[in-house]
């Protein structure tokens, strides 16, 4: 009888503790601009590794079609934080809306302008995209910004090219293979998937490496980050620090494990049936992930310069780019963990 009572007491204590812990966790909704894209992997992997839980957060990831949709979710109040490209923070500052990135997980954007296998013969350069249909994840997303920048840089009027939203995953690959679009701005694993089926795949611009990023932008160009409205960041410092800690721990885990280890932790539905292709894409992408979590001020300035060139609205706005990001939470995370990086 005493043993039974002891077991019951133990069970009740465990239930009480789990209830208390659940109540103590802050609930955070993160809108992801396309969960299947490897550019957002650190956000998903952090949940798979339990890093959000360790940081005292109950995080819900909401997978959306593109970064612009994730941004709308936060501005509309259905999500707290965006996992998306930092350039949105700069672009929206021109509209007098304050957004702030607080931890960067992509050193490079990883954006690739690819020609549809069905249209390889007639498209040999970016200038050949005049009057063509080009796919992006969603209009107004970073893929769209990148396309417009490249078109203008090559002397084309962006308005002369039709922009089609095709998502980032299987829908984008299908649109390319069926020739529904002439080209697309894509990210891995989709680029590697296409290359696996089409050895002669034509790439017009590639920012998956430092060399290519410097060639396109003239400097390093930050990609994915966690960001929210400046008001939310300032009003939820505890949660922002916890999110930063979780992403920092995840980045450290990524850079201390193999691509095979990382793939094993990812959800099956994101890895897909062709594990070899996913693994190849992941190996291509790992160098893109930040080791520090910090925003490089020169990188932020490069984003502003690119947008100022492509958007008269941004050029005239007099944006103070230092207000669109903060490194204080990353710095605090390093003090707490004793990281030397």
């Amino acid at each position: 009888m005493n043993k039974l009572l002891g077991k019951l007491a133990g069970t009740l204590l465990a239930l009480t503790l789990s209830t208390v812990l659940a109540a103590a966790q802050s609930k955070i909704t993160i809108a992801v601009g396309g969960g299947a894209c490897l550019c957002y992997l650190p956000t998903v992997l952090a949940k798979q590794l339990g890093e959000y839980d360790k940081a005292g957060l109950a995080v819900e990831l909401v997978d959306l079609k593109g970064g612009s949709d994730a941004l709308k979710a936060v501005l509309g109040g259905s999500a707290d934080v965006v996992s998306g490209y930092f350039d949105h923070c700069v672009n929206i500052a021109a509209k007098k809306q304050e957004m702030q990135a607080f931890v960067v997980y992509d050193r490079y954007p990883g954006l690739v302008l690819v020609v549809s296998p069905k249209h390889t013969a007639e498209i040999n350069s970016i200038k050949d995209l005049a009057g063509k249909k080009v796919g992006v994840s969603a209009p107004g997303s970073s893929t769209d910004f990148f396309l417009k920048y490249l078109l203008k840089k090559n002397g084309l009027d962006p308005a002369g090219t039709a922009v089609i939203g095709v998502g980032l995953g299987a829908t984008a690959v299908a649109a390319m293979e069926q020739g529904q679009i002439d080209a697309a701005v894509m990210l891995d694993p989709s680029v590697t998937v296409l290359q696996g089926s089409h050895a002669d795949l034509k790439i017009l611009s590639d920012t998956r490496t430092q060399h290519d990023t410097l060639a396109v932008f003239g400097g390093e160009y930050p990609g994915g980050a966690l960001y929210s409205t400046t008001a939310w960041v300032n009003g939820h410092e505890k949660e922002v620090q916890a999110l930063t800690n979780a992403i920092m721990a995840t980045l450290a885990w990524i850079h201390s494990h193999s691509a095979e280890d990382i793939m094993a932790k990812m959800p099956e539905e994101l890895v897909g049936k062709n594990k070899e292709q996913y693994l190849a894409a992941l190996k291509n992408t790992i160098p893109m992930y930040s080791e520090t979590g910090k925003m490089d001020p020169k990188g932020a300035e490069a984003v502003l310069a690119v947008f100022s060139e492509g958007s008269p609205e941004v050029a005239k706005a007099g944006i103070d780019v230092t207000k669109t990001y903060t490194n204080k939470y990353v710095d605090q995370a390093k003090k707490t963990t004793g990281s030397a990086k």
Side-chain angles (χ1 to χ4, degrees), residues 122-196:
E122 70 262 30
I123 299 173
N124 296 300
S125 70
I126 291 171
K127 289 187 177 182
D128 293 334
L129 295 177
K132 302 293 187 184
K133 293 185 289 186
V134 183
V136 298
S137 59
S141 287
S142 298
T143 49
D144 189 8
F145 296 147
F146 181 62
L147 173 64
K148 287 179 168 56
Y149 170 72
L150 289 178
L151 293 172
K152 189 152 188 181
K153 189 179 179 184
N154 285 270
L156 299 178
D157 179 0
T161 298
V163 173
I164 313 292
V166 294
L168 282 173
T171 53
V173 172
M176 287 285 274
E177 292 197 312
Q178 292 163 16
Q180 296 171 7
I181 48 180
D182 299 288
V185 177
M186 306 178 77
L187 293 113
D188 266 328
S190 296
V191 180
T192 302
V193 168
L194 269 180
Q195 286 177 314

Side-chain angles (χ1 to χ4, degrees), residues 328-340:
K328 82 172 191 176
Y329 299 100
V330 171
D331 290 337
Q332 182 57 44
K334 288 174 181 174
K335 286 177 187 175
T336 305
T337 60
S339 171

Side-chain angles (χ1 to χ4, degrees), residues 92-107:
I92 205 163
K95 298 175 174 62
K96 306 302 178 189
Q97 289 180 289
E98 296 182 344
M99 309 289 287
Q100 194 172 61
F102 51 87
V103 59
V104 177
Y105 49 80
D106 292 335
R107 293 192 295 167

Side-chain angles (χ1 to χ4, degrees), residues 227-247:
Y227 69 87
S228 188
T229 64
T230 303
W232 192 90
V233 172
N234 291 338
H236 296 81
E237 292 205 337
K238 181 184 173 185
E239 289 83 356
V240 171
Q241 187 64 64
L243 285 169
T244 302
N245 293 351
I247 295 296

